[in-house]
Short mmCIF file of all heavy atoms in Angstrom, two decimals:
data_model
loop_
_atom_site.label_atom_id
_atom_site.label_comp_id
_atom_site.label_asym_id
_atom_site.label_seq_id
_atom_site.Cartn_x
_atom_site.Cartn_y
_atom_site.Cartn_z
N MET A 1 135.79 -30.10 -88.59
CA MET A 1 135.30 -31.47 -88.84
C MET A 1 134.39 -31.94 -87.68
O MET A 1 134.69 -31.64 -86.52
CB MET A 1 136.50 -32.39 -88.98
CG MET A 1 136.14 -33.88 -89.10
SD MET A 1 137.53 -34.98 -89.10
CE MET A 1 138.22 -34.64 -90.76
N ARG A 2 133.40 -32.62 -88.01
CA ARG A 2 132.53 -33.17 -86.98
C ARG A 2 132.98 -34.56 -86.54
O ARG A 2 133.59 -35.28 -87.36
CB ARG A 2 131.08 -33.24 -87.46
CG ARG A 2 130.47 -31.89 -87.69
CD ARG A 2 128.97 -31.94 -87.69
NE ARG A 2 128.35 -30.66 -87.26
CZ ARG A 2 127.18 -30.52 -86.73
NH1 ARG A 2 126.42 -31.60 -86.55
NH2 ARG A 2 126.69 -29.35 -86.34
N HIS A 3 132.68 -34.87 -85.33
CA HIS A 3 133.06 -36.17 -84.81
C HIS A 3 131.84 -36.84 -84.28
O HIS A 3 131.28 -36.46 -83.25
CB HIS A 3 134.11 -36.02 -83.67
CG HIS A 3 135.39 -35.44 -84.21
ND1 HIS A 3 136.40 -36.22 -84.71
CD2 HIS A 3 135.78 -34.13 -84.38
CE1 HIS A 3 137.36 -35.42 -85.13
NE2 HIS A 3 137.02 -34.18 -84.97
N ARG A 4 131.44 -37.84 -84.96
CA ARG A 4 130.24 -38.60 -84.58
C ARG A 4 130.70 -39.99 -84.11
O ARG A 4 131.26 -40.73 -84.94
CB ARG A 4 129.19 -38.68 -85.66
CG ARG A 4 127.88 -39.21 -85.19
CD ARG A 4 126.89 -39.12 -86.32
NE ARG A 4 127.13 -40.11 -87.38
CZ ARG A 4 126.81 -41.39 -87.30
NH1 ARG A 4 126.17 -41.88 -86.23
NH2 ARG A 4 127.12 -42.21 -88.27
N ILE A 5 130.50 -40.30 -82.85
CA ILE A 5 130.95 -41.59 -82.32
C ILE A 5 129.89 -42.67 -82.57
O ILE A 5 128.69 -42.44 -82.44
CB ILE A 5 131.20 -41.49 -80.81
CG1 ILE A 5 132.36 -40.51 -80.55
CG2 ILE A 5 131.46 -42.84 -80.19
CD1 ILE A 5 133.67 -41.03 -81.02
N GLU A 6 130.41 -43.80 -82.98
CA GLU A 6 129.56 -44.97 -83.12
C GLU A 6 130.19 -46.11 -82.42
O GLU A 6 131.41 -46.38 -82.62
CB GLU A 6 129.34 -45.31 -84.60
CG GLU A 6 128.46 -46.46 -84.85
CD GLU A 6 128.31 -46.81 -86.33
OE1 GLU A 6 129.00 -46.16 -87.17
OE2 GLU A 6 127.53 -47.71 -86.64
N VAL A 7 129.49 -46.76 -81.53
CA VAL A 7 130.04 -47.92 -80.80
C VAL A 7 129.45 -49.18 -81.50
O VAL A 7 128.24 -49.45 -81.37
CB VAL A 7 129.67 -47.92 -79.30
CG1 VAL A 7 130.25 -49.19 -78.66
CG2 VAL A 7 130.28 -46.68 -78.66
N ARG A 8 130.28 -49.86 -82.26
CA ARG A 8 129.81 -50.96 -83.02
C ARG A 8 129.92 -52.26 -82.25
O ARG A 8 130.95 -52.53 -81.63
CB ARG A 8 130.63 -51.07 -84.36
CG ARG A 8 130.59 -49.81 -85.13
CD ARG A 8 131.17 -49.99 -86.50
NE ARG A 8 130.36 -50.90 -87.26
CZ ARG A 8 130.54 -51.19 -88.53
NH1 ARG A 8 131.58 -50.69 -89.18
NH2 ARG A 8 129.75 -52.00 -89.21
N PRO A 9 128.90 -53.07 -82.27
CA PRO A 9 128.98 -54.40 -81.61
C PRO A 9 129.83 -55.35 -82.40
O PRO A 9 129.81 -55.36 -83.63
CB PRO A 9 127.53 -54.87 -81.59
CG PRO A 9 126.89 -54.17 -82.78
CD PRO A 9 127.64 -52.87 -82.95
N VAL A 10 130.69 -56.11 -81.68
CA VAL A 10 131.53 -57.13 -82.29
C VAL A 10 131.27 -58.46 -81.66
O VAL A 10 131.76 -58.74 -80.58
CB VAL A 10 133.03 -56.74 -82.12
CG1 VAL A 10 133.91 -57.78 -82.79
CG2 VAL A 10 133.32 -55.34 -82.66
N PRO A 11 130.43 -59.26 -82.30
CA PRO A 11 130.06 -60.55 -81.67
C PRO A 11 131.23 -61.52 -81.61
O PRO A 11 131.96 -61.67 -82.56
CB PRO A 11 128.97 -61.10 -82.60
CG PRO A 11 128.53 -59.94 -83.41
CD PRO A 11 129.76 -59.01 -83.53
N VAL A 12 131.36 -62.15 -80.45
CA VAL A 12 132.30 -63.27 -80.27
C VAL A 12 131.49 -64.34 -79.58
O VAL A 12 130.41 -64.10 -79.11
CB VAL A 12 133.52 -62.83 -79.41
CG1 VAL A 12 134.35 -61.77 -80.13
CG2 VAL A 12 133.11 -62.35 -78.07
N PRO A 13 132.00 -65.57 -79.47
CA PRO A 13 131.25 -66.63 -78.81
C PRO A 13 130.82 -66.27 -77.41
O PRO A 13 131.62 -65.91 -76.58
CB PRO A 13 132.26 -67.81 -78.83
CG PRO A 13 133.12 -67.54 -80.02
CD PRO A 13 133.26 -66.04 -80.06
N GLU A 14 129.51 -66.28 -77.21
CA GLU A 14 128.88 -66.03 -75.92
C GLU A 14 129.11 -64.65 -75.36
O GLU A 14 129.00 -64.40 -74.13
CB GLU A 14 129.38 -67.03 -74.89
CG GLU A 14 129.07 -68.50 -75.30
CD GLU A 14 129.47 -69.50 -74.26
OE1 GLU A 14 129.80 -69.10 -73.10
OE2 GLU A 14 129.51 -70.72 -74.57
N TRP A 15 129.42 -63.71 -76.23
CA TRP A 15 129.67 -62.35 -75.74
C TRP A 15 129.59 -61.40 -76.92
O TRP A 15 129.65 -61.80 -78.07
CB TRP A 15 131.03 -62.25 -75.03
CG TRP A 15 131.26 -60.96 -74.29
CD1 TRP A 15 132.05 -59.92 -74.62
CD2 TRP A 15 130.63 -60.64 -73.01
NE1 TRP A 15 131.96 -58.93 -73.63
CE2 TRP A 15 131.11 -59.35 -72.63
CE3 TRP A 15 129.72 -61.30 -72.19
CZ2 TRP A 15 130.68 -58.68 -71.51
CZ3 TRP A 15 129.31 -60.64 -71.02
CH2 TRP A 15 129.81 -59.38 -70.69
N VAL A 16 129.37 -60.12 -76.62
CA VAL A 16 129.48 -59.09 -77.64
C VAL A 16 130.47 -58.02 -77.17
O VAL A 16 130.27 -57.40 -76.09
CB VAL A 16 128.09 -58.42 -77.92
CG1 VAL A 16 128.24 -57.32 -78.96
CG2 VAL A 16 127.11 -59.48 -78.42
N LEU A 17 131.54 -57.77 -77.95
CA LEU A 17 132.46 -56.74 -77.63
C LEU A 17 131.98 -55.40 -78.27
O LEU A 17 131.06 -55.41 -79.06
CB LEU A 17 133.85 -57.13 -78.19
CG LEU A 17 134.41 -58.44 -77.69
CD1 LEU A 17 135.72 -58.75 -78.37
CD2 LEU A 17 134.62 -58.40 -76.15
N HIS A 18 132.63 -54.34 -77.83
CA HIS A 18 132.21 -53.01 -78.29
C HIS A 18 133.43 -52.28 -78.86
O HIS A 18 134.44 -52.16 -78.20
CB HIS A 18 131.56 -52.23 -77.10
CG HIS A 18 130.39 -53.01 -76.54
ND1 HIS A 18 129.15 -52.87 -77.08
CD2 HIS A 18 130.33 -53.88 -75.51
CE1 HIS A 18 128.31 -53.60 -76.35
NE2 HIS A 18 128.97 -54.23 -75.42
N TRP A 19 133.20 -51.74 -80.03
CA TRP A 19 134.31 -51.09 -80.78
C TRP A 19 133.94 -49.64 -81.06
O TRP A 19 133.14 -49.36 -81.98
CB TRP A 19 134.59 -51.87 -82.04
CG TRP A 19 135.80 -51.46 -82.77
CD1 TRP A 19 136.85 -50.70 -82.32
CD2 TRP A 19 136.16 -51.84 -84.10
NE1 TRP A 19 137.80 -50.58 -83.25
CE2 TRP A 19 137.43 -51.29 -84.35
CE3 TRP A 19 135.55 -52.62 -85.09
CZ2 TRP A 19 138.08 -51.43 -85.61
CZ3 TRP A 19 136.20 -52.82 -86.31
CH2 TRP A 19 137.44 -52.23 -86.52
N PRO A 20 134.55 -48.69 -80.34
CA PRO A 20 134.23 -47.29 -80.55
C PRO A 20 134.95 -46.79 -81.80
O PRO A 20 136.13 -47.06 -82.00
CB PRO A 20 134.76 -46.62 -79.30
CG PRO A 20 135.87 -47.48 -78.81
CD PRO A 20 135.44 -48.90 -79.17
N GLN A 21 134.16 -46.07 -82.59
CA GLN A 21 134.71 -45.55 -83.88
C GLN A 21 134.16 -44.12 -84.04
O GLN A 21 133.11 -43.78 -83.59
CB GLN A 21 134.32 -46.38 -85.07
CG GLN A 21 134.65 -47.83 -84.90
CD GLN A 21 134.31 -48.69 -86.12
OE1 GLN A 21 133.80 -48.17 -87.12
NE2 GLN A 21 134.60 -49.95 -86.04
N CYS A 22 134.98 -43.29 -84.70
CA CYS A 22 134.57 -41.91 -84.93
C CYS A 22 134.45 -41.61 -86.40
O CYS A 22 135.20 -42.20 -87.21
CB CYS A 22 135.60 -40.95 -84.26
SG CYS A 22 135.14 -39.22 -84.37
N SER A 23 133.60 -40.69 -86.75
CA SER A 23 133.38 -40.34 -88.16
C SER A 23 134.61 -39.69 -88.77
O SER A 23 134.68 -39.61 -90.00
CB SER A 23 132.15 -39.42 -88.32
OG SER A 23 132.36 -38.29 -87.51
N CYS A 24 135.58 -39.28 -87.93
CA CYS A 24 136.80 -38.66 -88.48
C CYS A 24 137.79 -39.73 -88.96
O CYS A 24 138.81 -39.44 -89.53
CB CYS A 24 137.46 -37.76 -87.44
SG CYS A 24 138.30 -38.63 -86.10
N GLY A 25 137.50 -41.02 -88.64
CA GLY A 25 138.40 -42.08 -89.06
C GLY A 25 139.06 -42.79 -87.89
O GLY A 25 139.67 -43.82 -88.05
N TRP A 26 138.94 -42.19 -86.70
CA TRP A 26 139.52 -42.79 -85.48
C TRP A 26 138.85 -44.13 -85.20
O TRP A 26 137.62 -44.29 -85.28
CB TRP A 26 139.40 -41.81 -84.37
CG TRP A 26 139.81 -42.35 -83.03
CD1 TRP A 26 141.08 -42.43 -82.53
CD2 TRP A 26 138.94 -42.91 -82.01
NE1 TRP A 26 141.05 -43.00 -81.24
CE2 TRP A 26 139.76 -43.27 -80.92
CE3 TRP A 26 137.55 -43.09 -81.93
CZ2 TRP A 26 139.23 -43.84 -79.77
CZ3 TRP A 26 137.06 -43.68 -80.78
CH2 TRP A 26 137.89 -44.04 -79.73
N ARG A 27 139.70 -45.08 -84.76
CA ARG A 27 139.15 -46.37 -84.28
C ARG A 27 139.82 -46.64 -82.97
O ARG A 27 140.99 -46.63 -82.79
CB ARG A 27 139.54 -47.48 -85.28
CG ARG A 27 138.93 -47.31 -86.66
CD ARG A 27 137.45 -47.47 -86.64
NE ARG A 27 136.88 -47.34 -87.96
CZ ARG A 27 136.36 -46.23 -88.47
NH1 ARG A 27 136.39 -45.15 -87.77
NH2 ARG A 27 135.83 -46.22 -89.65
N GLY A 28 138.97 -46.94 -81.97
CA GLY A 28 139.45 -47.28 -80.63
C GLY A 28 139.77 -48.74 -80.49
O GLY A 28 139.76 -49.50 -81.48
N ASP A 29 140.04 -49.08 -79.25
CA ASP A 29 140.22 -50.49 -78.96
C ASP A 29 138.90 -51.23 -78.90
O ASP A 29 137.87 -50.65 -78.54
CB ASP A 29 140.91 -50.67 -77.61
CG ASP A 29 142.31 -49.99 -77.63
OD1 ASP A 29 142.99 -50.07 -78.67
OD2 ASP A 29 142.74 -49.51 -76.59
N ILE A 30 138.91 -52.49 -79.18
CA ILE A 30 137.73 -53.33 -79.02
C ILE A 30 137.67 -53.74 -77.56
O ILE A 30 138.58 -54.41 -77.06
CB ILE A 30 137.77 -54.54 -79.92
CG1 ILE A 30 137.79 -54.10 -81.41
CG2 ILE A 30 136.56 -55.45 -79.67
CD1 ILE A 30 137.97 -55.22 -82.39
N LEU A 31 136.54 -53.34 -76.89
CA LEU A 31 136.49 -53.48 -75.46
C LEU A 31 135.32 -54.40 -75.00
O LEU A 31 134.42 -54.63 -75.81
CB LEU A 31 136.31 -52.08 -74.81
CG LEU A 31 137.49 -51.12 -75.13
CD1 LEU A 31 137.10 -49.68 -74.84
CD2 LEU A 31 138.69 -51.55 -74.32
N ARG A 32 135.43 -54.83 -73.74
CA ARG A 32 134.49 -55.83 -73.32
C ARG A 32 133.11 -55.28 -72.98
O ARG A 32 132.14 -56.02 -73.04
CB ARG A 32 135.02 -56.55 -72.05
CG ARG A 32 136.26 -57.39 -72.36
CD ARG A 32 136.64 -58.21 -71.14
NE ARG A 32 135.64 -59.15 -70.74
CZ ARG A 32 135.41 -60.35 -71.25
NH1 ARG A 32 136.22 -60.76 -72.24
NH2 ARG A 32 134.47 -61.13 -70.86
N THR A 33 133.06 -54.03 -72.60
CA THR A 33 131.73 -53.51 -72.22
C THR A 33 131.50 -52.12 -72.92
O THR A 33 132.46 -51.43 -73.26
CB THR A 33 131.63 -53.26 -70.69
OG1 THR A 33 132.48 -52.19 -70.31
CG2 THR A 33 131.94 -54.52 -69.93
N ARG A 34 130.23 -51.80 -73.09
CA ARG A 34 129.91 -50.55 -73.75
C ARG A 34 130.37 -49.33 -72.98
O ARG A 34 130.92 -48.39 -73.58
CB ARG A 34 128.38 -50.50 -73.98
CG ARG A 34 127.90 -49.16 -74.49
CD ARG A 34 126.42 -49.13 -74.72
NE ARG A 34 126.05 -49.90 -75.92
CZ ARG A 34 126.07 -49.37 -77.12
NH1 ARG A 34 126.35 -48.10 -77.30
NH2 ARG A 34 125.74 -50.07 -78.18
N PRO A 35 130.21 -49.34 -71.64
CA PRO A 35 130.73 -48.16 -70.89
C PRO A 35 132.23 -47.92 -71.09
O PRO A 35 132.66 -46.77 -71.25
CB PRO A 35 130.41 -48.51 -69.39
CG PRO A 35 129.25 -49.39 -69.49
CD PRO A 35 129.44 -50.18 -70.75
N LEU A 36 133.00 -48.96 -71.21
CA LEU A 36 134.45 -48.81 -71.49
C LEU A 36 134.63 -48.19 -72.86
O LEU A 36 135.50 -47.31 -73.06
CB LEU A 36 135.11 -50.16 -71.37
CG LEU A 36 135.36 -50.69 -69.97
CD1 LEU A 36 136.02 -52.08 -70.06
CD2 LEU A 36 136.27 -49.77 -69.18
N ALA A 37 133.86 -48.65 -73.82
CA ALA A 37 133.99 -48.13 -75.16
C ALA A 37 133.58 -46.68 -75.23
O ALA A 37 134.21 -45.87 -75.89
CB ALA A 37 133.13 -48.98 -76.13
N VAL A 38 132.49 -46.35 -74.50
CA VAL A 38 132.03 -44.96 -74.50
C VAL A 38 133.08 -44.05 -73.81
O VAL A 38 133.34 -42.94 -74.25
CB VAL A 38 130.68 -44.85 -73.78
CG1 VAL A 38 130.30 -43.40 -73.53
CG2 VAL A 38 129.58 -45.55 -74.59
N ASP A 39 133.70 -44.56 -72.76
CA ASP A 39 134.71 -43.81 -72.07
C ASP A 39 135.87 -43.53 -73.03
O ASP A 39 136.43 -42.40 -73.05
CB ASP A 39 135.28 -44.58 -70.85
CG ASP A 39 134.32 -44.47 -69.65
OD1 ASP A 39 133.41 -43.65 -69.72
OD2 ASP A 39 134.54 -45.21 -68.68
N GLN A 40 136.31 -44.52 -73.78
CA GLN A 40 137.39 -44.33 -74.69
C GLN A 40 137.06 -43.32 -75.81
O GLN A 40 137.86 -42.49 -76.18
CB GLN A 40 137.83 -45.62 -75.30
CG GLN A 40 139.11 -45.46 -76.11
CD GLN A 40 139.73 -46.78 -76.50
OE1 GLN A 40 139.34 -47.39 -77.47
NE2 GLN A 40 140.72 -47.21 -75.76
N ALA A 41 135.79 -43.40 -76.25
CA ALA A 41 135.33 -42.43 -77.26
C ALA A 41 135.37 -41.02 -76.67
O ALA A 41 135.79 -40.07 -77.35
CB ALA A 41 133.94 -42.79 -77.69
N ASP A 42 134.96 -40.87 -75.42
CA ASP A 42 135.00 -39.56 -74.78
C ASP A 42 136.44 -39.04 -74.70
O ASP A 42 136.69 -37.87 -74.92
CB ASP A 42 134.38 -39.63 -73.38
CG ASP A 42 132.88 -39.67 -73.40
OD1 ASP A 42 132.32 -39.32 -74.45
OD2 ASP A 42 132.29 -40.02 -72.37
N GLU A 43 137.36 -39.94 -74.39
CA GLU A 43 138.74 -39.53 -74.30
C GLU A 43 139.25 -39.06 -75.69
O GLU A 43 139.96 -38.05 -75.80
CB GLU A 43 139.64 -40.71 -73.85
CG GLU A 43 139.60 -40.88 -72.38
CD GLU A 43 140.55 -42.01 -71.93
OE1 GLU A 43 141.51 -42.26 -72.68
OE2 GLU A 43 140.32 -42.62 -70.88
N HIS A 44 138.83 -39.73 -76.70
CA HIS A 44 139.21 -39.35 -78.05
C HIS A 44 138.71 -37.94 -78.36
O HIS A 44 139.46 -37.10 -78.86
CB HIS A 44 138.64 -40.34 -79.09
CG HIS A 44 138.54 -39.76 -80.48
ND1 HIS A 44 139.66 -39.52 -81.24
CD2 HIS A 44 137.48 -39.38 -81.24
CE1 HIS A 44 139.29 -39.04 -82.40
NE2 HIS A 44 137.96 -38.92 -82.44
N LEU A 45 137.48 -37.68 -78.02
CA LEU A 45 136.89 -36.38 -78.31
C LEU A 45 137.59 -35.27 -77.55
O LEU A 45 137.88 -34.20 -78.09
CB LEU A 45 135.40 -36.43 -78.03
CG LEU A 45 134.58 -37.35 -78.92
CD1 LEU A 45 133.14 -37.35 -78.43
CD2 LEU A 45 134.62 -36.92 -80.38
N THR A 46 137.81 -35.51 -76.27
CA THR A 46 138.36 -34.45 -75.40
C THR A 46 139.86 -34.26 -75.66
O THR A 46 140.38 -33.15 -75.60
CB THR A 46 138.12 -34.76 -73.95
OG1 THR A 46 138.69 -36.02 -73.61
CG2 THR A 46 136.65 -34.76 -73.62
N GLU A 47 140.60 -35.33 -75.94
CA GLU A 47 142.02 -35.23 -76.09
C GLU A 47 142.47 -34.80 -77.48
O GLU A 47 143.42 -34.09 -77.63
CB GLU A 47 142.71 -36.56 -75.74
CG GLU A 47 142.63 -36.86 -74.24
CD GLU A 47 143.29 -38.19 -73.92
OE1 GLU A 47 143.89 -38.79 -74.84
OE2 GLU A 47 143.14 -38.66 -72.79
N HIS A 48 141.76 -35.25 -78.50
CA HIS A 48 142.22 -35.02 -79.83
C HIS A 48 141.44 -33.94 -80.55
O HIS A 48 141.94 -33.35 -81.49
CB HIS A 48 142.12 -36.30 -80.64
CG HIS A 48 143.00 -37.39 -80.08
ND1 HIS A 48 144.34 -37.47 -80.36
CD2 HIS A 48 142.73 -38.45 -79.27
CE1 HIS A 48 144.87 -38.52 -79.74
NE2 HIS A 48 143.88 -39.10 -79.05
N HIS A 49 140.24 -33.66 -80.09
CA HIS A 49 139.39 -32.66 -80.83
C HIS A 49 138.65 -31.80 -79.81
O HIS A 49 137.44 -31.70 -79.86
CB HIS A 49 138.41 -33.36 -81.70
CG HIS A 49 138.99 -34.40 -82.58
ND1 HIS A 49 139.80 -34.11 -83.68
CD2 HIS A 49 138.95 -35.74 -82.52
CE1 HIS A 49 140.19 -35.22 -84.22
NE2 HIS A 49 139.70 -36.25 -83.54
N PRO A 50 139.39 -31.17 -78.85
CA PRO A 50 138.69 -30.44 -77.78
C PRO A 50 137.92 -29.20 -78.33
O PRO A 50 136.92 -28.79 -77.69
CB PRO A 50 139.84 -29.97 -76.87
CG PRO A 50 141.04 -29.97 -77.74
CD PRO A 50 140.80 -31.08 -78.76
N ASP A 51 138.32 -28.66 -79.46
CA ASP A 51 137.66 -27.44 -79.93
C ASP A 51 136.68 -27.69 -81.04
O ASP A 51 136.07 -26.75 -81.54
CB ASP A 51 138.75 -26.45 -80.39
CG ASP A 51 139.69 -26.05 -79.29
OD1 ASP A 51 139.25 -25.98 -78.17
OD2 ASP A 51 140.90 -25.86 -79.55
N ASP A 52 136.55 -28.91 -81.45
CA ASP A 52 135.68 -29.20 -82.59
C ASP A 52 134.21 -29.32 -82.16
O ASP A 52 133.90 -29.50 -80.97
CB ASP A 52 136.10 -30.46 -83.30
CG ASP A 52 137.42 -30.29 -84.09
OD1 ASP A 52 137.82 -29.09 -84.21
OD2 ASP A 52 137.94 -31.26 -84.54
N ASP A 53 133.39 -29.20 -83.12
CA ASP A 53 131.95 -29.37 -82.91
C ASP A 53 131.62 -30.85 -82.77
O ASP A 53 131.75 -31.61 -83.72
CB ASP A 53 131.17 -28.75 -84.08
CG ASP A 53 129.70 -28.76 -83.77
OD1 ASP A 53 129.26 -29.02 -82.63
OD2 ASP A 53 128.96 -28.55 -84.75
N VAL A 54 131.24 -31.28 -81.56
CA VAL A 54 131.03 -32.64 -81.30
C VAL A 54 129.51 -32.94 -81.33
O VAL A 54 128.76 -32.29 -80.65
CB VAL A 54 131.63 -33.04 -79.94
CG1 VAL A 54 131.24 -34.50 -79.62
CG2 VAL A 54 133.14 -32.92 -80.00
N VAL A 55 129.17 -34.00 -82.04
CA VAL A 55 127.76 -34.41 -82.08
C VAL A 55 127.58 -35.51 -81.09
O VAL A 55 128.23 -36.56 -81.15
CB VAL A 55 127.39 -34.91 -83.47
CG1 VAL A 55 125.94 -35.36 -83.52
CG2 VAL A 55 127.62 -33.81 -84.50
N GLN A 56 126.74 -35.26 -80.15
CA GLN A 56 126.45 -36.30 -79.19
C GLN A 56 125.51 -37.34 -79.76
O GLN A 56 124.37 -37.02 -80.15
CB GLN A 56 125.79 -35.73 -77.91
CG GLN A 56 126.78 -34.90 -77.05
CD GLN A 56 127.90 -35.78 -76.46
OE1 GLN A 56 127.68 -36.93 -76.21
NE2 GLN A 56 129.03 -35.19 -76.26
N PRO A 57 125.93 -38.57 -79.87
CA PRO A 57 125.08 -39.55 -80.56
C PRO A 57 123.98 -40.06 -79.67
O PRO A 57 124.12 -40.17 -78.46
CB PRO A 57 126.07 -40.68 -80.78
CG PRO A 57 127.09 -40.53 -79.73
CD PRO A 57 127.18 -39.09 -79.42
N ALA A 58 122.86 -40.35 -80.33
CA ALA A 58 121.75 -40.87 -79.60
C ALA A 58 122.07 -42.22 -79.05
O ALA A 58 121.43 -42.69 -78.10
CB ALA A 58 120.51 -40.95 -80.51
N LEU A 59 123.07 -42.86 -79.60
CA LEU A 59 123.49 -44.16 -79.17
C LEU A 59 123.82 -44.19 -77.69
O LEU A 59 123.58 -45.20 -77.00
CB LEU A 59 124.72 -44.62 -79.96
CG LEU A 59 124.80 -46.04 -80.38
CD1 LEU A 59 124.02 -46.24 -81.70
CD2 LEU A 59 126.23 -46.45 -80.66
N PHE A 60 124.43 -43.12 -77.18
CA PHE A 60 124.80 -43.05 -75.82
C PHE A 60 123.64 -43.12 -74.84
O PHE A 60 123.79 -43.47 -73.67
CB PHE A 60 125.62 -41.81 -75.52
CG PHE A 60 126.99 -41.83 -76.09
CD1 PHE A 60 127.43 -42.89 -76.88
CD2 PHE A 60 127.92 -40.85 -75.82
CE1 PHE A 60 128.70 -42.95 -77.35
CE2 PHE A 60 129.21 -40.89 -76.30
CZ PHE A 60 129.61 -41.94 -77.05
N ASP A 61 122.47 -42.79 -75.32
CA ASP A 61 121.29 -42.78 -74.44
C ASP A 61 120.69 -44.19 -74.28
O ASP A 61 119.87 -44.35 -73.41
CB ASP A 61 120.21 -41.85 -75.02
CG ASP A 61 120.72 -40.42 -75.11
OD1 ASP A 61 121.54 -40.08 -74.22
OD2 ASP A 61 120.30 -39.72 -76.00
N ALA A 62 121.13 -45.11 -75.09
CA ALA A 62 120.56 -46.46 -75.05
C ALA A 62 120.91 -47.12 -73.74
O ALA A 62 122.02 -46.89 -73.17
CB ALA A 62 121.00 -47.31 -76.24
ZN1 ZN B 1 137.08 -37.96 -84.16
#
């Protein structure tokens, strides 16, 4: 199974939260900053799917 991470923006008043999600169905915590969301996504990939083919999303380059 491939794991493609998407960090979705979650607008709240005067801020945008970041919600890491994976194409395998995994959903992370809604976090205050994108780096925190990316870190949690990395943990998901390394801890739960260390041997799978991981697609590095272009999103991370933004
Ligand atoms: Zn996954």
Side-chain angles (χ1 to χ4, degrees):
M1 176 186 287
R2 291 201 154 205
H3 296 270
R4 192 174 69 81
I5 295 294
E6 182 181 6
V7 178
R8 305 191 65 175
V10 181
V12 295
E14 299 183 14
W15 193 252
V16 177
L17 302 175
H18 301 275
W19 190 13
Q21 306 183 0
C22 184
S23 58
C24 74
W26 172 83
R27 297 292 181 264
D29 297 326
I30 299 176
L31 299 165
R32 291 188 62 82
T33 69
R34 172 179 287 273
L36 285 176
V38 170
D39 281 350
Q40 187 168 84
D42 282 344
E43 280 184 24
H44 160 69
L45 294 175
T46 57
E47 290 180 6
H48 297 280
H49 311 287
D51 299 325
D52 287 350
D53 186 13
V54 173
V55 179
Q56 288 295 330
L59 219 83
F60 285 6
D61 297 330

